[in-house]
Amino acid sequence: MSSDDRHGSAHELSRRTLLERGAAAAALFAIPASLRGDVVRGWTAARPYLDAAQRAERWIARAAVKGAVGTTWPADPADAKSIQSNLYSGSPGIVLFYLELHHATGDAAYLAQARAGADYLMATLPSSAASLGDEGAGLYTGVAGIAYVLELTRRASGDARYAEGVARAASLLKSALTPMGAGAGWNNSTDIISGSGGILLTLLWLGQARGEWPDWRRDAAKVGARLLEVAQPERGGLKWSISTDMPRRYPNFSHGTAGVSYVLATLYKETGERRFLDAALSGEQYLQAIATRTAQNGMKILHSEPGGEQLFYLSWCHGPAGTARLYRRLADVTGDTKWLDTIPRLAQGIIDSGVPDQHPDGAGYWNNISQCCGNCGISEFFLDWHAATGEPRHLTFAQRVVDNTLQRATPDGNGLKWIQAEHRVRPELLVAQTGLMQGAAGVGLALLHLDGALEKRAPRVQLPDTPRWR
């Protein structure tokens, strides 16, 4: 994305080098859709979505870089310099994919690959909080995401050695927490991606892994106090910017009001402090005030302001699929099921757009199949809503979206990859990535979660910003 249409300046800058490889991939994506559909037609596997995930793994595996301290993977296999340790694009997301593959199959080889990746992450953790920089603490951009991956690896493997890595990561986060205004924070960002919101959710998720931080509740409340301090009154409610120096506001989940309200509601559940819930409810009031109604009584929230009021994304980052998480969390922390009434309207907002087959305005649903911006984020939401309601139509819609994702795959030897435009405003910049939020690991995770829904298997990988759907 360009500087005027980004998820946020922090992770956009860290991925810029990777995206310079796009021109070489453009010719590959020119395969006609009718031929790409052969990836799906005639599939003979008894569990086609598991089979497709294993094909994605074979493509990712060919890019593995094995060394003395473990295994890592470049975000773009065509660029050896694109190795990253952030959850968004880098190796941590691939470790999660291997953990879910092991969960789905019981194959010890997949767990071994996950552990090799976790070993690399442990060995390359930053040495000090001073080295983290602006985004190095974040959930999707830094140490908080690594802590989550190491803890999930510990739980899957039973190896207490990974608890040492989690403790080191938590110690870095504790040291990096800085007094700010009326409270504290890790950087000037409030958001889920790189800011205090996502980091706080990670600490709340870690649970028993916080033994070396006995006063974490006190510090968590300080982070919440800072989030309250930077809120902006609007339309009878509250809204949040990514940071105090970011003029554009993104109201949905990844960078704005829906995400910060989700964090505050979660913090209320942990601390019992009513001020956090009140602020979360004020954030929801603002979202309702700016909501757009769709043809069949659906609901969606604008992409950004100023300038993006008529632009609507659909997936996790800036769309109903992500914003629905706030309503599930409000129902959970208040015990009031009225909050669930908005989720079907958000789902209908996605359906009314015409996806996955088409999107009438073409703007918020471009050539992107990712967990962040495209198909996979949408299918994951409908799978979660199916798990919460048991309604078959939600599973059916998720399957339609995943089938469309498979039709857009590109065979590569015995593997599968997805060549896509990560940035809406750079449609010519096409890259096949390996990672979680924009690559094959994220597609593979969505495939495995659909296979799990069909096989009655609960997922292993549920990130710290995911509510309890089941």
Side-chain angles (χ1 to χ4, degrees):
M1 291 185 173
S2 71
S3 59
D4 66 343
D5 187 35
R6 54 192 166 188
H7 298 140
S9 58
H11 79 269
E12 194 268 344
L13 288 171
S14 69
R15 295 183 285 118
R16 192 169 290 161
T17 301
L18 162 67
L19 296 172
E20 297 305 319
R21 304 289 306 185
L28 292 174
F29 195 79
I31 301 171
S34 60
L35 293 181
R36 293 201 308 273
D38 289 340
V39 175
V40 181
R41 285 195 291 272
W43 214 295
T44 59
R47 293 165 63 183
Y49 302 112
L50 173 60
D51 184 60
Q54 290 174 312
R55 296 189 191 195
E57 185 278 331
R58 288 195 285 270
W59 180 72
I60 292 170
R62 291 203 294 271
V65 179
K66 300 178 181 180
V69 298
T71 300
T72 189
W73 297 262
D76 175 4
D79 183 359
K81 296 181 180 179
S82 67
I83 289 173
Q84 303 172 42
S85 291
N86 65 74
L87 183 60
Y88 192 94
S89 300
S91 295
I94 296 173
V95 174
L96 295 183
F97 175 45
Y98 275 111
L99 290 175
E100 194 71 40
L101 265 174
H102 172 253
H103 180 57
T105 64
D107 190 333
Y110 293 139
L111 180 58
Q113 287 284 65
R115 295 185 65 175
D119 289 347
Y120 178 89
L121 295 174
M122 278 225 307
T124 57
L125 272 171
S127 58
S128 69
S131 66
L132 295 182
D134 287 341
E135 62 181 46
L139 171 55
Y140 285 90
T141 60
V143 168
I146 294 172
Y148 163 71
V149 171
L150 293 177
E151 173 63 11
L152 207 64
T153 306
R154 183 197 68 79
R155 296 181 187 184
S157 66
D159 189 341
R161 185 170 54 90
Y162 296 111
E164 299 173 12
V166 176
R168 286 170 51 205
S171 178
L172 285 168
L173 293 174
K174 181 179 181 181
S175 298
L177 185 62
T178 303
M180 289 185 176
W186 285 273
N187 53 33
N188 198 32
S189 173
T190 63
D191 73 359
I192 300 292
I193 294 279
S194 65
S196 290
I199 300 166
L200 185 56
L201 289 177
T202 307
L203 293 177
L204 298 175
W205 180 89
L206 282 172
Q208 72 273 21
R210 294 186 303 257
E212 72 293 333
W213 194 342
D215 52 356
W216 70 270
R217 278 191 177 85
R218 181 199 67 190
D219 289 337
K222 290 180 180 179
V223 176
R226 176 59 177 169
L227 293 176
L228 297 185
E229 182 180 31
V230 298
Q232 302 166 326
E234 181 80 16
R235 307 251 190 140
L238 293 175
K239 66 181 180 181
W240 284 265
S241 301
I242 296 175
S243 66
T244 55
D245 58 2
M246 175 67 72
R248 177 172 285 187
R249 289 168 294 279
Y250 302 83
N252 286 284
F253 190 74
S254 67
H255 289 307
T257 298
V260 175
S261 297
Y262 180 98
V263 172
L264 291 170
T266 306
L267 187 56
Y268 161 72
K269 183 178 182 180
E270 194 67 50
T271 65
E273 294 193 33
R274 179 73 197 196
R275 58 178 175 153
F276 298 133
L277 178 59
D278 289 343
L281 296 174
S282 293
E284 190 280 332
Q285 186 173 352
Y286 166 70
L287 293 174
Q288 287 289 345
I290 64 170
T292 294
R293 272 59 184 177
T294 63
Q296 302 299 318
N297 197 35
M299 172 181 165
K300 56 187 179 181
I301 308 293
L302 59 91
H303 171 266
S304 59
E305 58 168 355
E309 291 87 350
Q310 301 306 313
L311 175 62
F312 298 94
Y313 281 22
L314 301 175
S315 194
W316 172 86
C317 56
H318 300 295
T323 295
R325 296 181 174 204
L326 169 61
Y327 291 90
R328 185 68 190 93
R329 180 49 50 95
L330 287 175
D332 180 41
V333 303
T334 65
D336 191 340
T337 58
K338 75 175 184 180
W339 297 110
L340 300 178
D341 295 343
T342 301
I343 299 177
R345 298 185 57 220
L346 290 164
Q348 191 63 45
I350 294 172
I351 294 169
D352 286 350
S353 73
V355 301
D357 307 303
Q358 60 181 341
H359 187 219
D361 67 16
Y365 193 73
W366 65 101
N367 173 26
N368 186 285
I369 47 75
S370 73
Q371 287 273 354
C372 183
C373 316
N375 274 19
C376 291
I378 292 172
S379 68
E380 295 274 36
F381 163 54
F382 278 89
L383 287 176
D384 287 335
W385 194 223
H386 166 70
T389 64
E391 292 191 26
R393 61 193 175 99
H394 302 320
L395 177 59
T396 298
F397 189 80
Q399 192 165 352
R400 274 186 59 204
V401 175
V402 172
D403 287 347
N404 178 269
T405 304
L406 288 178
Q407 289 165 6
R408 294 160 67 178
T410 299
D412 189 322
N414 63 351
L416 289 178
K417 63 185 179 183
W418 284 263
I419 305 167
Q420 64 160 15
E422 178 175 349
H423 302 302
R424 179 184 64 82
V425 296
R426 295 293 305 277
E428 79 288 353
L429 195 54
L430 300 165
V431 180
Q433 297 187 44
T434 60
L436 178 67
M437 297 304 284
Q438 294 287 350
V443 177
L445 200 62
L447 290 164
L448 292 170
H449 287 167
L450 176 55
D451 174 75
L454 295 171
E455 298 291 321
K456 312 300 182 187
R457 181 187 70 248
R460 168 177 284 167
V461 174
Q462 293 186 289
L463 274 85
D465 58 299
T466 305
R468 180 182 57 81
W469 291 99
R470 291 158 178 81

